[in-house]
Amino acid sequence: RKAVVSTQSTGIERADAELQPVLKKMYNLFLVSLLQENLGFYLTNGLISKGGAASLRGDFNRLVAEIAPDALALAEGFGITEEMLSAPIARDWELYNSYDNAGEMERYEDIVRS
């Protein structure tokens, strides 16, 4: 993770100027997620204040809301296909998990049609 954190900011600086704002938001969202994931460590070692820790959820929600309007463009930019976006579990997760889906090795359409 340290390598990702240290190289990411350099990558953002080299990106097109119009992409930098959303890339910075995504980078900050990643960092907030890391802090949340390891919050106990940061608190017990005095690396984050209680107030800072308390604001993480709000920071996370704000960043997600700011990135949301660009979600489709971001997915397209990362080459995430329509098929990936409409994975069987994304369509109807309750139905998909109501039977043994064999570790998701079978096609959703074949199972639902039977």
Side-chain angles (χ1 to χ4, degrees), residues 21-36:
V22 73
L23 292 175
K24 286 178 184 177
K25 288 176 187 175
M26 290 179 60
Y27 177 63
N28 287 335
L29 182 61
F30 171 72
L31 294 177
V32 168
S33 297
L34 285 180
L35 287 170
Q36 287 178 318

Side-chain angles (χ1 to χ4, degrees), residues 1-18:
R1 292 182 185 170
K2 186 176 180 180
V4 171
V5 171
S6 64
T7 59
Q8 186 65 29
S9 59
T10 305
I12 292 171
E13 292 167 3
R14 288 189 302 220
D16 292 340
E18 64 189 36

Side-chain angles (χ1 to χ4, degrees), residues 25-113:
K25 288 176 187 175
M26 290 179 60
Y27 177 63
N28 287 335
L29 182 61
F30 171 72
L31 294 177
V32 168
S33 297
L34 285 180
L35 287 170
Q36 287 178 318
E37 196 175 299
N38 301 290
L39 189 55
F41 172 82
Y42 294 117
L43 280 168
T44 57
N45 288 286
L47 299 171
I48 190 170
S49 68
K50 289 181 183 177
S55 70
L56 287 176
R57 174 57 58 194
D59 293 340
F60 180 89
N61 291 341
R62 178 184 50 79
L63 287 164
V64 168
E66 290 176 6
I67 292 169
D70 298 313
L72 184 57
L74 289 167
E76 290 172 355
F78 284 109
I80 298 172
T81 65
E82 186 65 33
E83 183 179 74
M84 294 165 110
L85 289 173
S86 62
I89 198 165
R91 293 184 195 143
D92 186 343
W93 66 270
E94 288 179 335
L95 171 65
Y96 191 72
N97 288 304
S98 67
Y99 56 87
D100 179 7
N101 56 40
E104 302 181 21
M105 298 301 292
E106 298 177 43
R107 289 179 25 151
Y108 177 81
E109 292 80 7
D110 294 341
I111 296 167
V112 173
R113 290 185 187 149

